[in-house]
Amino acid sequence: MSKKYILALLTAVAAFGVYANVLNSGLVWDDHYHVSRFSLRFNSLASLFLPTDLKGAIMVFYRPLIGLTYLFDYSIWFDNPFGYHLTNILFHAANTLLLYFITNKVFKSATVAFLSSMLFAVHPIHTESVSWISGRTDVVATTFVFLSMLAHIEFKERDNKIAIIPAALFFALAMFSKEIAVGAIIVFAMYDLIISEQKRLEPLPYICYGALIILYLIMRQAYLANTVVEMNFKPFTDISTIFFSSIAFYLYKFFYPVNLNLYIFEIPYKSLFLMAGIFLFATLVVLFIKKKRIYFFLIASFLITIMPSISGAFTTVLSPPFAERYLYLPSAFLCIGVAYSASKFEKYSKYCIIPVVLVLAILTYNRNELWKSELLLWEDTIKKTNHWYPKSEYARTLLSQGKLNEALKASEESLSQAISENTNAKSLSKIYNNIGRVYVEDGNSDTATVYFNKAIESSRTNPIPYHNLGEILLTKAKNERNNRLFNLKQAESYFTKAIENDPYLFESYLGLGDVFFMSGDLKTAESCYLKVIKLAPNTSYSAEAVKGLLRPEMLKVK
């Protein structure tokens, strides 16, 4: 095996090894949905790529290929987090390999390729993207951007017309993974005009890329046509401040990857970062004038690939508006820049970088330890962020571990802060619902009912508090003879309302099955239980539905 491939393999091994301690991690934050429920809602290719009329399945983003990776994982691992984490790590290792080959092709230097890939492999700024199952969007999108770029370079440098086919195919797959991939077309164009030997654009690949962008935008618009998102653009002065300060902030995060934070809702020292961001743009102009083409290309590519994520902070759509995972793809160009600069020291370059790589690897490994425990992660987050949302998630985690008093205290703090910050109604609804769940677990159904009703008053489209009220009334009907029929009717109405807001809420179908069984409507009860088995096969809910169907009374239903 040649030296080139040995070095490439070493970078991939480093990428896998530094994240190996994540493999036995559990579920964090949105992972609970993607592992436990996503594959049950989107169980076909059509439901991923084409418009759906299921209200409960409406998505804010159009990323069908990411959904496909969840379906693939689910087909092998079901709800075992190990396999999902393994997928993330393998994609990251693949990206490290691809970056090596891209850099080697462009710079014709195994040293630059090795150093840049090693930095990329172990950099702590990637922990959110790799260690968090739901962070895989950037990781997968980057894989296809790199594959497309490799094919594009093959076409450009060797005039291989066939290479346009994989370049276009991978470009499309990148867009179907995450919206940020659209900007790759500008990176390719800059490569053609600044880095390549010919220094000119060939129209054919860009005709293909442009056609695919149009097709992607049409499909995206059709898929998200029924999704209503309140954009709430910020004033122009805020936008310009966010733009420049966030660029400098992300650069700071890359070069000083300590004190990492899961939830960044604002940029600290905004004035300082604002001046630094303006200075960076001035530097870019100087590099262009001085014809420092390598550095200009790398910095400009960083800016182009981080720009879509920054633009999301101009609105209230993204939560949080700033995130370390947004640096995954842009950081590749910074890693190349650092490695290219280090290579100027020739034989001393590896001795300069190796200690840096070791320190970064230790930081990454240690950060991964926090991602192994949702409780530890949210504890770390609320220490660094004074915001109602991480406090609410911390309370939810405490509740899941049976720490009721602590969960109630954290929920009430989250509620108080959310109200003072004029948080939107949907968010308040979730907090009220969480407080209600604490009281349910504590055996205080009357107080829980009060909070579930407050959750409904805040947002009548939130299905969860309806379901929870149905569960309370169903329990009362089972345990109390007085008002049994009334409680069953009320439970039925709440479960029905929950299903109206989310047709895939199989828990409510299970509740309805029990309601109709107790009411004597065995035929309807049977259809409800069968619905649970259809929507949630191989889950504890379908097992409960089977138990319901196997009751002696149900076996007599024809």
Side-chain angles (χ1 to χ4, degrees):
M1 186 182 293
S2 68
K3 178 183 176 182
K4 178 176 72 172
Y5 291 107
I6 292 174
L7 291 175
L9 185 60
L10 282 175
T11 64
V13 170
F16 191 94
V18 79
Y19 284 99
N21 60 331
V22 174
L23 288 171
N24 62 345
S25 298
L27 306 180
V28 174
W29 203 3
D30 292 346
D31 293 348
H32 295 281
Y33 169 77
H34 287 125
V35 172
S36 304
R37 292 178 177 270
F38 184 92
S39 300
L40 300 177
R41 290 173 180 265
F42 301 90
N43 52 16
S44 68
L45 288 176
S47 63
L48 289 172
F49 286 87
L50 301 176
T52 175
D53 58 357
L54 289 175
K55 289 165 59 180
I58 287 177
M59 306 292 285
V60 177
F61 302 108
Y62 181 56
R63 300 167 181 174
L65 206 66
I66 300 301
L68 194 59
T69 67
Y70 288 126
L71 290 183
F72 176 80
D73 283 341
Y74 185 79
S75 67
I76 300 174
W77 306 100
F78 292 104
D79 59 354
N80 184 353
F82 173 89
Y84 295 79
H85 285 296
L86 179 63
T87 297
N88 279 28
I89 296 172
L90 289 175
F91 267 105
H92 177 59
N95 289 338
T96 302
L97 274 176
L98 291 169
L99 182 62
Y100 177 92
F101 290 119
I102 289 171
T103 310
N104 195 49
K105 269 181 175 289
V106 173
F107 292 91
K108 309 293 190 295
S109 168
T111 300
V112 175
F114 178 72
L115 294 179
S116 59
S117 299
M118 284 298 289
L119 285 172
F120 186 84
V122 304
H123 203 291
I125 204 67
H126 299 154
T127 53
E128 187 172 318
S129 297
V130 183
S131 302
W132 182 33
I133 293 171
S134 301
R136 71 171 54 172
T137 51
D138 293 276
V139 182
V140 175
T142 297
T143 300
F144 293 112
V145 168
F146 283 172
L147 285 169
S148 181
M149 192 170 187
L150 266 177
H152 183 89
I153 293 171
E154 174 71 15
F155 158 76
K156 187 66 181 178
E157 301 303 336
R158 299 193 181 185
D159 196 28
N160 183 355
K161 298 292 192 295
I162 299 298
I164 294 176
I165 297 174
L169 173 64
F170 291 132
F171 179 68
L173 293 176
M175 288 190 293
F176 284 126
S177 300
K178 193 171 183 180
E179 307 80 11
I180 60 168
V182 174
I185 190 174
I186 304 176
V187 176
F188 295 171
M190 286 198 307
Y191 171 83
D192 292 350
L193 294 171
I194 299 171
I195 303 298
S196 71
E197 295 179 1
Q198 295 89 349
K199 305 288 190 301
R200 69 173 185 273
L201 291 178
E202 299 289 343
L204 183 57
Y206 293 97
I207 292 172
C208 295
Y209 299 150
L212 288 170
I213 289 174
I214 293 171
L215 175 62
Y216 163 76
L217 291 175
I218 291 172
M219 293 181 68
R220 184 179 186 276
Q221 177 59 33
Y223 192 86
L224 300 177
N226 295 324
T227 301
V228 179
V229 179
E230 296 179 7
M231 298 296 285
N232 295 331
F233 279 93
K234 297 175 181 177
F236 177 76
T237 52
D238 289 347
I239 289 175
S240 57
T241 301
I242 290 170
F243 177 73
F244 288 109
S245 59
S246 58
I247 288 171
F249 177 70
Y250 281 124
L251 277 173
Y252 166 78
K253 278 286 186 180
F254 175 83
F255 287 105
Y256 190 66
V258 299
N259 202 33
L260 298 180
N261 189 358
L262 173 60
Y263 198 90
I264 307 170
F265 78 98
E266 65 179 359
I267 295 175
Y269 312 113
K270 193 171 290 184
S271 299
L272 183 62
F273 282 117
L274 172 62
M275 290 187 290
I278 294 172
F279 177 77
L280 176 67
F281 266 84
T283 303
L284 194 63
V285 173
V286 171
L287 290 173
F288 181 78
I289 294 172
K290 296 287 187 180
K291 296 183 179 180
K292 301 290 184 179
R293 59 190 185 94
I294 298 295
Y295 288 113
F296 177 84
F297 170 73
L298 293 173
I299 294 175
S301 296
F302 163 76
L303 292 173
I304 288 163
T305 49
I306 196 68
M307 208 77 76
S309 299
I310 291 175
S311 64
F314 299 161
T315 73
T316 56
V317 173
L318 295 182
S319 179
F322 310 99
E324 290 154 5
R325 64 184 178 274
Y326 300 155
L327 267 171
Y328 189 83
L329 173 58
S331 71
F333 300 102
L334 299 178
C335 288
I336 295 171
V338 172
Y340 177 72
S341 300
S343 69
K344 299 294 185 181
F345 295 98
E346 297 179 351
K347 64 179 181 179
Y348 298 107
S349 60
K350 59 184 177 182
Y351 300 112
C352 298
I353 293 290
I354 287 175
V356 175
V357 168
L358 288 174
V359 170
L360 294 177
I362 292 170
L363 289 173
T364 297
Y365 191 88
N366 289 338
R367 179 65 179 171
N368 289 340
E369 290 298 308
L370 282 180
W371 282 94
K372 293 171 71 173
S373 166
E374 187 168 27
L375 185 61
L376 289 177
L377 186 62
W378 286 118
E379 281 179 347
D380 176 75
T381 304
I382 62 175
K383 290 176 184 176
K384 299 171 181 176
T385 302
N386 183 26
H387 192 270
W388 67 266
Y389 185 84
K391 289 179 182 177
S392 176
E393 289 298 307
Y394 177 56
R396 175 188 58 78
T397 307
L398 288 168
L399 175 61
S400 68
Q401 299 193 7
K403 300 179 179 180
L404 302 185
N405 291 334
E406 295 174 61
L408 182 59
K409 181 181 178 182
S411 294
E412 289 175 342
E413 288 178 2
S414 173
L415 177 62
S416 176
Q417 191 168 354
I419 292 173
S420 67
E421 294 174 3
N422 295 318
T423 305
N424 63 60
K426 288 183 179 179
S427 298
L428 287 175
S429 179
K430 291 179 181 178
I431 299 174
Y432 282 127
N433 182 75
N434 285 343
I435 295 175
R437 286 178 56 214
V438 174
Y439 282 109
V440 167
E441 293 298 320
D442 199 34
N444 191 342
S445 60
D446 291 338
T447 305
T449 299
V450 172
Y451 280 99
F452 290 143
N453 280 316
K454 285 185 178 182
I456 292 171
E457 290 170 10
S458 297
S459 176
R460 298 193 178 279
T461 59
N462 183 359
I464 308 302
Y466 289 108
H467 172 81
N468 289 334
L469 284 171
E471 287 284 357
I472 288 175
L473 290 161
L474 179 59
T475 301
K476 284 184 176 181
K478 289 178 179 178
N479 298 332
E480 302 173 9
R481 290 187 175 275
N482 295 333
N483 298 320
R484 185 181 187 190
L485 185 59
F486 173 80
N487 287 331
L488 286 174
K489 283 293 182 184
Q490 287 291 100
E492 178 188 346
S493 67
Y494 282 122
F495 285 136
T496 302
K497 192 66 178 179
I499 291 169
E500 287 175 4
N501 284 295
D502 184 354
Y504 266 63
L505 197 64
F506 42 80
E507 298 98 318
S508 290
Y509 285 107
L510 184 61
L512 276 178
D514 289 343
V515 167
F516 287 120
F517 173 78
M518 293 176 67
S519 301
D521 189 349
L522 302 185
K523 192 68 178 176
T524 307
E526 180 186 52
S527 67
C528 290
Y529 290 139
L530 291 173
K531 187 75 172 180
V532 176
I533 295 169
K534 179 182 178 181
L535 293 177
N538 303 312
T539 66
S540 60
Y541 295 97
S542 61
E544 287 298 316
V546 170
K547 288 181 182 178
L549 289 171
L550 293 178
R551 291 187 181 111
E553 299 91 336
M554 294 298 299
L555 294 175
K556 299 176 183 178
V557 177
K558 296 181 180 180

